[in-house]
């Protein structure tokens, strides 16, 4: 497969040199299913992306790969708060849904790829039922140890790739493929199922079935048993019971549950780094569906899990007030508990949704400040995972995300590099994993590795605006304001409506003391600031706004905003939120008091950051460079705080440096 890939890349570079086709067209013509994957392989092989081919005219187009392993190929402290939480929540999904599916101890020759089911109906109003049916069949087959099911995370990258089913099966090394096509005429929905042996293309089983809520469970079981029989797989009593298990007898409730899952899927597809409004709208619709499912069957465990995730992953992260944030966290915990209580003999160790609930329960204790209880629950999960001796790379993934949550950058980097080293080439690396690596390298002061993994991230999400924003952050944290300004202006030219781009420009204006420019940008942001959920940097923005008002002689506006900020951050401390536990609330209070010349209070709150074990580079940079700290920067207390921060940062920087040399990431 590597030889074929390299041959295709050689053909691709010749086509690109001719200039007749675009990168996407060349990618398709030479047999890559995804333009992003093609770009990644091209970069790995030649040392630069296909878009930069013109800069390498006259070179011999040979591989730049040396004899080393191939690696699979927004945004400062407020991002750290959001993304570290997002990482652990995504980890919940990744491990509980996909971990059992990566178990490689299954029998060889019985690997099956479940293709994405197609809805051929023009209205596609029954698509959510067809999609739900595929998911349930997947779950049934995943529970059979004698069958190896290609993970969804691997199948997802081939959706809409233009490849045939047999081509996808061969790429995923599947011995069999199961396909289904549905069509609705009036009230009747017909689904055509087909099971094919990959190498020969032989059709092993084919059935046309009517699909309705009334026969949904029977059809799900019938297809699962047909696959088991055709693959001649062994089926234990427990595995049969898993296939026979019905989550709820109330199919109207299950219908709402399936609708909710479809809305959640759409919300993920429409969610981008800087704009979450559309995604949140679909999540709200999903929430309504899960609530209706519970109204119809209060013992139905699965919608409780999804509501728990909604309350924590959406409500907790994006609440406008501290009180709402705390309420959502408590509600999420309550929903997770109800899911576990209503499980009717199901085990969280073998059940996807219940394992998810268990992870949310662990996160709840972490967010409440009970780190010991959280670690106890996470360790319980690790004990369970030890049974999967062949997926050690997944454990490193888990530990990476968890270390990110606990802001242990050294361990986060170590585990992430081990994950990439051990992960099978076929398994794609999630975009959020590369993002976490970018942050950890930025925070520990290593720009080159940060840029390297940022490129890997961009090969997946293909977002130039985000790319330039991230690069500008690296330059800002290094004190290179001119380069940072140049990069963020490039992002702004690509999308002048992007609030985060404007905020980066505003920050750059503050650091370079162009306060009239900063005021203009501030007013522009305020005029377009629809709601808190659309703007990651809202807290930082208001801090900067207080200072900008004062520098432009708008004292009344500054005083009013400062009062609100002080009240908000103090409330975070009173409720012991995550921001308060990490001493960001104290840091922000120190900043506000420094801006309005309450120097003693500023120093008192600033001293709290000495309780932190690690100091990220952005924090050290702000202590040294933020102009509103000028009036206290020469105070002995401040110098003591700065020395403590610098020593902690330097210690972590040196530890990570040794680690990176060990892995060959730096010289």
């Amino acid at each position: 497969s590597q030889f074929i890939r390299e041959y295709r890349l050689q053909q691709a570079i010749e086509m690109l040199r001719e200039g007749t086709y675009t990168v996407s067209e060349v990618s398709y013509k030479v047999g890559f299913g995804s333009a992003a994957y093609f770009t990644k392989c091209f970069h790995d092989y030649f040392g630069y992306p296909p878009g930069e081919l013109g800069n390498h005219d006259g070179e011999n187009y040979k591989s730049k790969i040396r004899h080393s392993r191939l690696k699979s190929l927004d945004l400062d402290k407020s991002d750290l708060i959001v993304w570290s939480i997002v990482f652990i929540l995504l980890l919940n999904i990744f491990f509980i849904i996909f971990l059992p599916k990566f178990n490689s101890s299954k029998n060889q020759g019985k690997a099956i790829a479940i293709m994405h089911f197609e809805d051929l109906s023009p209205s596609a109003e029954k698509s959510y039922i067809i999609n739900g049916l595929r998911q349930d069949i997947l779950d049934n087959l995943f529970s059979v140890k004698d069958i190896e099911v290609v993970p969804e995370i691997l199948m997802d990258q081939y959706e809409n790739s233009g490849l045939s089913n047999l081509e996808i099966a061969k790429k995923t090394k599947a011995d069999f493929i199961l396909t289904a096509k549905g069509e609705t005429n009036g009230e009747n929905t017909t689904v055509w199922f087909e099971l094919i042996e990959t190498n020969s293309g032989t059709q092993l089983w084919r059935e046309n079935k009517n699909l309705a809520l009334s026969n949904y469970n029977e059809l799900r079981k019938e297809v699962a048993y047909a696959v088991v029989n055709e693959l001649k797989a062994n089926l234990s009593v427990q595995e049969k019971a898993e296939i026979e298990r019905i989550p709820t007898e109330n199919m109207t409730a299950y219908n709402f549950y399936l609708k909710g899952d479809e809305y959640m899927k759409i919300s993920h597809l429409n969610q981008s780094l800087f704009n979450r409004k559309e995604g949140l709208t679909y999540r709200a619709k999903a929430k309504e569906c899960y609530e209706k499912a519970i109204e119809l069957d209060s013992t139905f465990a699965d919608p409780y899990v999804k509501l728990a995730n909604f309350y924590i992953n959406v409500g907790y992260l994006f609440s406008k007030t501290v009180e709402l944030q705390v309420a959502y966290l408590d509600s999420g915990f309550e929903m997770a508990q109800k899911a576990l209580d209503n499980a009717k003999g199901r085990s969280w160790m073998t059940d996807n949704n219940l394992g998810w609930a268990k992870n949310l329960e662990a996160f709840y204790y972490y967010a409440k400040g009970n780190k010991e209880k959280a670690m106890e629950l996470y360790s319980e999960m690790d004990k369970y995972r030890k049974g999967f001796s062949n997926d050690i790379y997944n454990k490193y993934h888990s530990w990476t995300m968890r270390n990110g949550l606990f802001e242990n950058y050294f361990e986060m980097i170590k585990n992430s590099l081990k994950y990439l080293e051990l992960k099978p080439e076929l398994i794609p690396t999630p975009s959020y994993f590369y993002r976490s690596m970018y942050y950890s390298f930025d925070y520990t002061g290593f720009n080159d590795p940060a840029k390297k993994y940022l490129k890997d991230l961009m090969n997946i999400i293909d977002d130039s605006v985000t790319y330039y924003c991230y690069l500008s952050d690296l330059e800002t944290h290094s004190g290179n304001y001119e380069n940072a300004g140049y990069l963020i202006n490039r992002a702004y030219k690509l999308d002048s409506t992007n609030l985060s781009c404007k905020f980066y420009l505003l920050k750059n204006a503050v650091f370079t003391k162009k306060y009239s420019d900063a005021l203009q940008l501030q007013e522009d942001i305020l005029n377009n600031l629809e709601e808190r959920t659309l703007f990651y940097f809202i807290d930082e923005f208001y801090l900067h706004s207080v200072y900008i008002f004062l520098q432009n002689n708008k004292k009344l506006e500054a005083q009013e905003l400062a009062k609100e900020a002080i009240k908000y951050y103090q409330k975070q401390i009173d409720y012991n939120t995550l921001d308060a536990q990490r001493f960001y609330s104290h840091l922000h209070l120190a900043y506000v008091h420094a801006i309005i010349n309450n120097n003693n209070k500023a120093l008192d709150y600033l001293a709290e950051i000495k309780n932190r074990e690690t100091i990220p580079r952005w924090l050290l940079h702000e202590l040294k460079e933020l102009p509103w700290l000028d009036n206290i920067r020469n105070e002995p207390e401040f110098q003591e705080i700065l020395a403590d921060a610098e020593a902690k940062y330097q210690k972590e920087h040196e530890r990570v440096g040794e680690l990176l040399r060990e892995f060959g990431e730096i010289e």
Side-chain angles (χ1 to χ4, degrees), residues 586-587 589-608 628-629 631-632 638 641:
H586 305 78
L587 178 69
L589 274 172
Y591 284 172
V592 176
H593 285 295
I595 292 169
I596 60 177
N597 291 317
N598 290 338
N599 293 350
N600 290 334
K601 284 189 175 182
L603 289 167
D604 287 343
Y605 282 115
L606 204 58
E608 293 291 334
W628 58 66
L629 296 177
N631 57 331
I632 60 172
F638 184 90
I641 294 165

Side-chain angles (χ1 to χ4, degrees), residues 623-639:
L623 292 176
K624 291 181 175 181
E625 299 287 337
L626 274 175
W628 58 66
L629 296 177
D630 287 348
N631 57 331
I632 60 172
R633 193 165 274 120
N634 293 324
E635 295 292 332
E637 297 95 326
F638 184 90
Q639 289 298 313

Side-chain angles (χ1 to χ4, degrees), residues 265-536:
K265 178 182 177 182
I266 296 171
S267 78
H268 289 304
L269 294 175
N270 285 281
Q271 179 174 286
S272 65
L273 184 60
F274 293 120
N275 183 2
R276 293 171 175 267
K277 185 175 183 180
E278 188 172 2
L280 288 170
T281 300
Y282 280 111
R283 289 189 183 191
K285 291 181 178 180
K287 176 176 176 285
E288 291 178 10
C289 289
Y290 296 138
E291 288 172 339
K292 288 178 181 177
I294 290 172
E295 285 177 14
L296 292 164
D297 182 358
S298 61
T299 66
F300 186 8
D302 300 273
Y304 283 114
V305 180
K306 302 301 177 68
L307 281 175
N309 177 64
F310 177 88
Y311 286 132
I312 292 176
N313 198 9
V314 181
Y316 175 64
L317 288 180
F318 300 106
S319 296
K320 296 181 181 180
T321 68
V322 176
E323 290 88 348
L324 268 178
Q325 188 180 42
V326 172
Y328 272 120
L329 183 63
D330 290 340
S331 295
F333 178 72
E334 181 183 351
M335 292 295 109
Q337 290 288 300
K338 285 186 176 181
L340 293 166
D341 291 342
N342 288 320
K344 300 174 184 176
R346 292 158 60 185
S347 170
W348 67 266
M349 294 188 295
T350 56
D351 190 286
N352 297 338
N353 276 342
L354 296 186
W356 192 353
K358 199 72 176 176
N359 268 272
L360 290 170
E361 183 183 36
F363 176 78
Y364 168 82
Y365 285 109
Y366 171 80
K368 283 292 188 178
N370 191 342
K371 305 297 191 295
E372 290 184 4
K373 180 66 174 177
M375 285 307 299
E376 178 186 325
L377 290 171
Y378 284 132
S379 297
E380 190 178 348
M381 301 295 292
D382 285 338
K383 281 183 186 177
Y384 166 61
R385 291 182 184 127
K386 285 180 182 176
F388 294 89
S389 58
N390 293 318
D391 14 319
I392 184 64
Y393 68 94
N394 276 325
K395 296 174 188 175
Y396 284 114
H397 179 287
S398 172
W399 296 332
T400 296
M401 299 296 102
R402 193 182 306 166
N403 290 139
L405 186 67
F406 284 84
E407 298 185 305
N408 187 335
Y409 309 127
F410 175 86
E411 291 295 330
M412 187 176 182
I413 291 171
K414 181 176 73 173
N415 288 311
S416 64
L417 293 174
K418 288 294 291 184
Y419 166 79
L420 292 176
E421 186 178 76
L422 297 173
K423 180 185 67 64
E425 186 180 355
L426 272 177
I427 303 299
T429 302
S431 61
Y432 63 81
F433 194 89
Y434 284 134
R435 184 177 282 113
S436 74
M437 295 186 74
Y438 160 82
Y439 283 131
S440 55
F441 285 124
D442 177 17
Y443 295 163
T444 52
F446 292 94
N447 283 7
D448 288 342
K451 291 176 183 177
K452 172 184 174 182
Y453 290 103
L454 176 58
K455 286 184 179 179
D456 288 336
L457 172 63
M458 292 306 114
N459 286 336
I460 298 174
I461 68 173
D462 192 23
D463 183 348
S464 296
V465 173
T466 298
Y467 179 66
Y468 289 125
C469 286
Y470 277 41
L471 285 179
S472 74
D473 247 2
L474 293 176
E475 296 297 331
T476 296
H477 299 158
S478 302
N480 301 322
Y481 304 126
E482 184 176 348
N483 290 346
Y486 167 75
L487 289 164
I488 198 59
N489 271 294
R490 290 192 68 175
Y492 184 73
K493 287 178 182 178
L494 292 171
D495 185 0
S496 60
T497 66
N498 191 299
L499 291 181
S500 293
C501 284
K502 294 176 183 178
F503 178 62
Y504 276 116
L505 287 171
L506 180 149
K507 281 207 306 182
N508 190 259
V510 169
F511 277 118
T512 54
K513 301 185 178 181
K514 298 175 182 177
Y515 299 124
S516 58
D517 291 347
L519 181 63
Q520 184 177 346
L521 287 161
Q522 176 193 359
E523 292 173 349
D524 191 8
I525 291 173
L526 283 171
N527 290 335
N528 293 282
L529 192 61
E530 295 180 16
E531 54 183 282
R532 189 182 197 280
T533 55
L534 294 184
F535 193 39
Y536 274 131

